[in-house]
Amino acid sequence: MKIATWNVNSIRTRKQQVRDWLSQQDVDILCVQETKVTDEEFPKDYFEETGYKCYFYGQKSYNGVAILSRSSLECLYGFSGVIPGENSSILDKQRRLMAAKIGEIIIVNVYVPNGNSVDSEKYHYKLNWLANLRRYLEVLKEKHGDKIIMCGDFNIAPEDIDIYNPQGKENHIMASEKERKALKRILDLGFIDIFRKFRKEGNNFTWWDYRQNGFVRNRGWRIDHIYVTSALEEEVLDCHIDIYPRKLEKPSDHAPVICNL
């Protein structure tokens, strides 16, 4: 089974690129972030024409997550789908989280808030969101077992090796100590950065700023990740980043990450 994650930065703008890429890569399940479209306007028919079932959780102009799958999935939407309550409902005003079950495996698709700048209101919202994601995963494991694949745009570079130039980035959004610690607390639930199992070298990035020829100069960050629980580690055959779509005309600023099980 081939599972991938990709922040497409508007599913309607990039729908042809996504459909072509799915065909070329023979992907079974694609987790998509930043769809920027309401559920009513998601291009469902466009993808179903090629055999992909569409599950989506979106909002107008911002955020939004979706899963495209060749197989039927049982989905849970938002924090409220797993940990009901007022706090979850407030967080779910931003559509950033969904999960799907296929056999014994749970796939969690996340679009972590960017945070804007260190110590800003949006930064503290991000830390709170991550703390709630940890609780969400705890409950998910209790209810559905420990075979979990978590993937998406985390807006965090876990280590300095994940940034083209880490100098001075300790107080930079996506690399600050508090963000990295929040991510580590999540991974301490038993998740493995499966990309790093297969590729330990630097200069492997998933996001490049549109400005200042970021991609051409390879001034990138690795902020899109696939994490698997230890129960699935030995089933993973490979994990890699596909930078080809970033070379296209009018691309997303992110590249997809692919995991083979």
Side-chain angles (χ1 to χ4, degrees):
M1 182 166 61
K2 187 180 286 190
I3 298 173
T5 181
W6 190 4
N7 178 323
V8 298
N9 192 8
S10 176
I11 189 66
R12 287 189 293 182
T13 301
R14 243 67 70 177
K15 67 179 183 179
Q16 181 68 57
Q17 292 182 11
V18 173
R19 194 164 87 166
D20 290 347
W21 184 82
L22 285 168
S23 174
Q24 294 160 5
Q25 291 294 327
D26 195 30
V27 168
D28 297 293
I29 296 174
L30 173 62
C31 292
V32 179
Q33 303 86 41
E34 207 171 353
T35 57
K36 295 184 176 180
V37 66
T38 63
D39 291 348
E40 293 76 16
E41 295 181 325
F42 191 93
K44 178 182 177 182
D45 294 344
Y46 184 79
F47 291 105
E48 288 187 343
E49 288 174 0
T50 60
Y52 284 91
K53 297 174 175 60
C54 301
Y55 305 87
F56 35 82
Y57 188 55
Q59 64 185 89
K60 184 178 180 179
S61 303
Y62 299 98
N63 308 318
V65 288
I67 299 178
L68 311 182
S69 172
R70 284 177 167 159
S71 303
S72 297
L73 302 175
E74 177 186 344
C75 292
L76 300 166
Y77 298 95
F79 286 103
S80 301
V82 174
I83 46 174
E86 183 179 358
N87 187 51
S88 292
S89 297
I90 292 171
L91 290 172
D92 286 342
K93 289 180 180 179
Q94 295 187 19
R95 304 295 180 88
R96 294 179 173 276
L97 175 68
M98 65 182 294
K101 188 169 186 179
I102 178 167
E104 295 183 338
I105 297 175
I106 297 288
I107 300 170
V108 181
N109 181 12
V110 309
Y111 178 36
V112 176
N114 174 272
N116 188 255
S117 61
V118 172
D119 283 334
S120 67
E121 182 179 345
K122 290 183 178 180
Y123 179 80
H124 291 291
Y125 178 89
K126 180 178 188 175
L127 295 178
N128 180 55
W129 198 95
L130 289 165
N132 279 274
L133 178 60
R134 190 183 194 282
R135 176 59 183 153
Y136 170 96
L137 292 166
E138 285 180 324
V139 175
L140 198 67
K141 290 182 74 172
E142 291 170 4
K143 290 183 176 180
H144 298 283
D146 61 353
K147 289 190 173 183
I148 300 174
I149 299 171
M150 176 174 58
C151 62
D153 177 0
F154 284 78
N155 269 311
I156 300 172
E159 301 178 84
D160 286 352
I161 194 177
D162 299 310
I163 308 171
Y164 74 94
N165 179 12
Q167 187 174 0
K169 294 296 191 296
E170 60 272 8
N171 293 314
H172 189 289
I173 196 69
M174 301 194 298
S176 71
E177 183 180 2
K178 288 182 180 179
E179 290 170 272
R180 286 178 168 178
K181 282 186 174 180
L183 177 58
K184 186 178 184 304
R185 283 194 290 271
I186 290 169
L187 303 186
D188 284 346
L189 292 173
F191 288 93
I192 297 154
D193 184 348
I194 202 64
F195 176 82
R196 280 292 173 220
K197 178 177 179 178
F198 295 96
R199 287 165 175 81
K200 303 185 185 302
E201 69 278 6
N203 291 320
N204 283 295
F205 308 126
T206 63
W207 174 82
W208 301 260
D209 200 320
Y210 286 128
R211 299 167 295 181
Q212 300 177 338
N213 290 320
F215 180 69
V216 174
R217 300 167 67 186
N218 201 28
R219 296 165 63 95
W221 293 56
R222 190 176 74 97
I223 59 174
D224 303 85
H225 309 294
I226 297 179
Y227 297 109
V228 305
T229 49
S230 54
L232 287 172
E233 180 182 5
E234 296 306 315
E235 296 184 32
V236 180
L237 304 175
D238 181 55
C239 184
H240 66 278
I241 300 164
D242 180 11
I243 66 169
Y244 171 76
R246 188 62 175 82
K247 300 177 182 179
L248 299 173
E249 185 177 352
K250 296 182 179 179
S252 167
D253 45 355
H254 295 252
V257 185
I258 308 168
C259 177
N260 290 292
L261 283 82

